[in-house]
Amino acid sequence: MLKLRKATDKDLEAIAAVEAVCFPQAEAASRESLESRLAVYPDYFWLLEEDGRLVSFVNGMVTNLPDLTDEMYEKAEMHDQDGEWQMIFGVDTIPSCRGRGYAGMVLRAVIAETKKAGKKGLVLTCKSGLIGYYAQFGFKDEGISGSEHGGVVWHQMRLIF
């Protein structure tokens, strides 16, 4: 059975474990970074569980800044509950559960909640191979991001309501 819910501090170990299997070490959020994010904005972690096991999640902060910057990943205090933009830092699905639509299920929930909250929209960065995936949710590619996170070339994508 699938269950979508918000995170609590008790979810840290499971979130860190999923993050570690979803991204190369240079790109993955550290346990410490995830702990700091959970302490400041747990309601901006959307978790999908299958039979009680975390299989997918999306996390990010809210800000008035229009572009996602590397600084945001490590400085949870930049979160502004009343900000206009929902930043998405990660869309994680454990490899054995990919291809089942889980990430899309969580993303649709994040998009719907962000719209209901009256935000301007959402911003994320992705590698060029995922531009088409995010485009199906309405995100538009804005070109190469200023992000140098993990030493990778990222595209910034934006969904405006």
Side-chain angles (χ1 to χ4, degrees), residues 25-47:
Q25 187 174 0
E27 299 170 31
S30 67
R31 183 188 181 287
E32 293 74 23
S33 176
L34 291 166
E35 183 174 31
S36 138
R37 294 177 196 178
L38 275 170
V40 175
Y41 46 88
D43 287 343
Y44 295 88
F45 277 77
W46 293 264
L47 310 182

Side-chain angles (χ1 to χ4, degrees), residues 4-76:
L4 184 64
R5 67 177 180 83
K6 297 296 180 77
T8 72
D9 58 346
K10 293 177 179 62
D11 295 307
L12 175 61
E13 297 309 323
I15 289 169
V18 170
E19 179 81 1
V21 300
C22 288
F23 291 100
Q25 187 174 0
E27 299 170 31
S30 67
R31 183 188 181 287
E32 293 74 23
S33 176
L34 291 166
E35 183 174 31
S36 138
R37 294 177 196 178
L38 275 170
V40 175
Y41 46 88
D43 287 343
Y44 295 88
F45 277 77
W46 293 264
L47 310 182
L48 182 66
E49 295 175 325
E50 182 180 56
D51 300 323
R53 175 179 71 133
L54 181 62
V55 293
S56 186
F57 74 91
V58 171
N59 79 104
M61 68 186 302
V62 176
T63 179
N64 276 317
L65 299 173
D67 297 318
L68 198 156
T69 66
D70 289 346
E71 184 180 32
M72 293 174 183
Y73 293 114
E74 299 303 324
K75 293 188 175 179

Side-chain angles (χ1 to χ4, degrees), residues 71-87:
E71 184 180 32
M72 293 174 183
Y73 293 114
E74 299 303 324
K75 293 188 175 179
E77 65 273 13
M78 291 178 72
H79 172 72
D80 177 357
Q81 183 77 30
D82 299 319
E84 298 177 327
W85 296 101
Q86 173 67 56
M87 299 293 159

